[in-house]
Amino acid sequence: MTSVPPTRVARRIATGPLLAAAVVALSVVMLALLLVWPTARHASAPLRDGQEQSLVAGSDDDVDDGEKTITIAGVGDTILGTVPHLPPDDGAGFFDRVADDLTADVVFGNLEGALSTRADFTKCGEEPGDDAPEGCAYLRMPPHYATLFAEAGFDVLNIANNHGHDSGPAGLDDTRRVLDEAGVRLSGVKGEIVELDVDGVTVAVVGVAAYDLYTNLLDLRAVSALVEAADRVADVVVFSMHVGAEGTDARHVTGQHEEYYGEPRGNTMEVAHTAVDAGADVVFGHGPHVLRGIEYYNGRLIVHSLGNFAGYGVLDATGALGRGAIVTVRVTAEGEFVAGSVTATRMVDGGYPALDPSNGAWSDFNELADDFGNRGVTVDGDGNLNQPVD
């Protein structure tokens, strides 16, 4: 199935023998704690053998005073059920477990499926109503679910994927209309650039997938042209790519072209690098239904796959398939990377998104950083991204 550091407070105190001794003792204790703290704070996100911890880019201290920055958060494959297999209570509270962490100037997600009542479209070669061939599925959610996304804090959803046209062209129009009415923008429509204003900073979002229904990522010239067009009209460009094979055997970025059920699904590294070279500032990948590594390339962050975020009644939540992440990136008004963080998530109760207390995504990203050599990005024990040292 397509399936801070603590705030330091300085205080002047009175002198005296007893008080001075207490101060000395307290200083010794604090020094000891500082010596062991780095080890403790990294324990929950182990690096692989031979992997060095690199410079943590985790605060606005990395930018000049007064320089404007914005935050962009992304999540991966998101499905709120499919008609007629929908969550109880009409989806009420679907995002409650993660809503407090879906906070950024721009919140992005990959919407797998249409928001439409249309059920007469044939995409897999069979007659409507027949069982779909192996590897083919239709995903369709009620149109009013658009409000669930808006209430959760999403600003833009990507439709460039293998389920965006599951209700046909008219269903895509339905999806755009109901999201617009809810205040959420739809990205990924072929050749289109979504523009958002963040306190005077223009953010463009574009999406590609390995199908001619969208800007086809198999055509790298088309990828470059789309990103270059976005870069001309925006300060910051977010590039979304639905790319690569699927499943637990597809966790690694190999640098090779990939297929799934005979479909060419592109070379994720080639596509992402092409986008960055053309002007993309943040790259969010999705589609493999598992987390893939994070790469720091030419000063920009590439999340090769954000994994499964939600998949009620549709997506398998076993092992790596159940893990996802909210990746939040802080960039300057020119798109330069400043800092980033990872909130680990997991699908529960049939496919609801929830925080993962075991922080499995941190360990996944640390393991998978090896796919990129010295460009691999790891996660520290506080969930901050470690920017590789040049």
Side-chain angles (χ1 to χ4, degrees):
M1 172 66 62
T2 54
S3 20
V4 208
T7 302
R8 187 172 57 200
V9 179
R11 180 175 296 169
R12 188 177 300 277
I13 57 176
T15 60
L18 182 60
L19 185 56
V23 170
V24 170
L26 179 59
S27 298
V28 171
V29 172
M30 291 180 67
L31 178 60
L33 287 173
L34 287 171
L35 289 173
V36 302
W37 172 243
T39 300
R41 72 195 291 266
H42 290 280
S44 61
L47 302 180
R48 296 192 62 179
D49 292 342
Q51 197 174 62
E52 294 183 359
Q53 191 78 355
S54 51
L55 177 66
V56 175
S59 78
D60 285 332
D61 293 340
D62 300 316
V63 298
D64 296 334
D65 290 343
E67 185 172 5
K68 180 177 293 189
T69 65
I70 65 169
T71 54
I72 302 164
V75 300
D77 302 310
T78 306
I79 308 166
L80 280 62
T82 185
V83 177
H85 307 292
L86 299 172
D89 300 324
D90 206 20
F94 191 89
F95 293 106
D96 281 359
R97 297 175 177 94
V98 294
D100 289 344
D101 292 273
L102 289 173
T103 53
D105 294 313
V106 177
V107 178
F108 165 92
N110 177 54
L111 174 62
E112 290 260 26
L115 296 169
S116 178
T117 60
R118 304 173 194 269
D120 58 351
F121 180 70
T122 300
K123 75 168 186 179
C124 300
E126 83 285 3
E127 292 299 320
D130 290 348
D131 290 336
E134 184 180 10
C136 182
Y138 287 84
L139 301 179
R140 181 172 59 85
M141 292 155 274
H144 63 272
Y145 275 22
T147 60
L148 299 179
F149 288 102
E151 291 167 356
F154 285 95
D155 298 291
V156 57
L157 294 171
N158 169 73
I159 201 67
N161 53 57
N162 52 326
H163 293 291
H165 275 72
D166 279 12
S167 286
L172 179 61
D173 290 341
D174 293 339
T175 303
R176 189 208 296 265
R177 175 180 53 78
V178 295
L179 286 173
D180 280 348
E181 291 171 354
V184 181
R185 303 292 299 278
L186 186 67
S187 69
V189 177
K190 188 169 185 174
E192 290 193 2
I193 300 167
V194 168
E195 295 180 47
L196 303 155
D197 180 81
V198 180
D199 193 23
V201 177
T202 301
V203 178
V205 184
V206 294
V208 301
Y211 308 94
D212 287 334
L213 292 166
Y214 316 103
T215 299
N216 195 325
L217 59 80
L218 301 176
D219 182 350
L220 297 180
R221 288 178 298 182
V223 171
S224 289
L226 179 63
V227 175
E228 288 170 356
D231 193 36
R232 286 194 293 269
V233 300
D235 304 302
V236 178
V237 177
V238 179
F239 178 76
S240 160
M241 58 180 186
H242 200 75
V243 63
E246 302 182 15
T248 54
D249 293 334
R251 297 175 65 237
H252 290 276
V253 173
T254 65
Q256 304 297 315
H257 285 272
E258 303 177 36
E259 294 185 354
Y260 188 69
Y261 279 101
E263 286 185 350
R265 293 286 186 89
N267 178 331
T268 176
M269 192 177 291
E270 188 177 58
V271 174
H273 290 186
T274 296
V276 172
D277 291 342
D281 299 300
V282 179
V283 176
F284 288 139
H286 37 78
H289 294 290
V290 287
L291 292 165
R292 287 185 170 186
I294 304 177
E295 180 184 11
Y296 188 67
Y297 172 76
N298 282 357
R300 299 301 189 259
L301 202 74
I302 301 169
V303 187
H304 281 273
S305 177
L306 286 156
N308 285 333
F309 185 60
Y312 185 84
V314 176
L315 297 180
D316 187 348
T318 305
L321 295 167
R323 295 194 292 272
I326 304 170
V327 176
T328 303
V329 184
R330 183 177 293 277
V331 299
T332 68
E334 291 75 39
E336 297 172 352
F337 176 76
V338 175
S341 64
V342 176
T343 299
T345 64
R346 180 158 196 89
M347 295 192 299
V348 300
D349 297 339
Y352 286 85
L355 301 184
D356 179 6
S358 69
N359 290 319
W362 298 1
S363 296
D364 278 2
F365 284 139
N366 284 342
E367 172 196 349
L368 297 168
D370 281 353
D371 290 350
F372 315 104
N374 59 9
R375 300 192 309 274
V377 176
T378 57
V379 186
D380 74 13
D382 291 328
N384 296 315
L385 296 182
N386 296 315
Q387 175 185 345
V389 178
D390 294 332

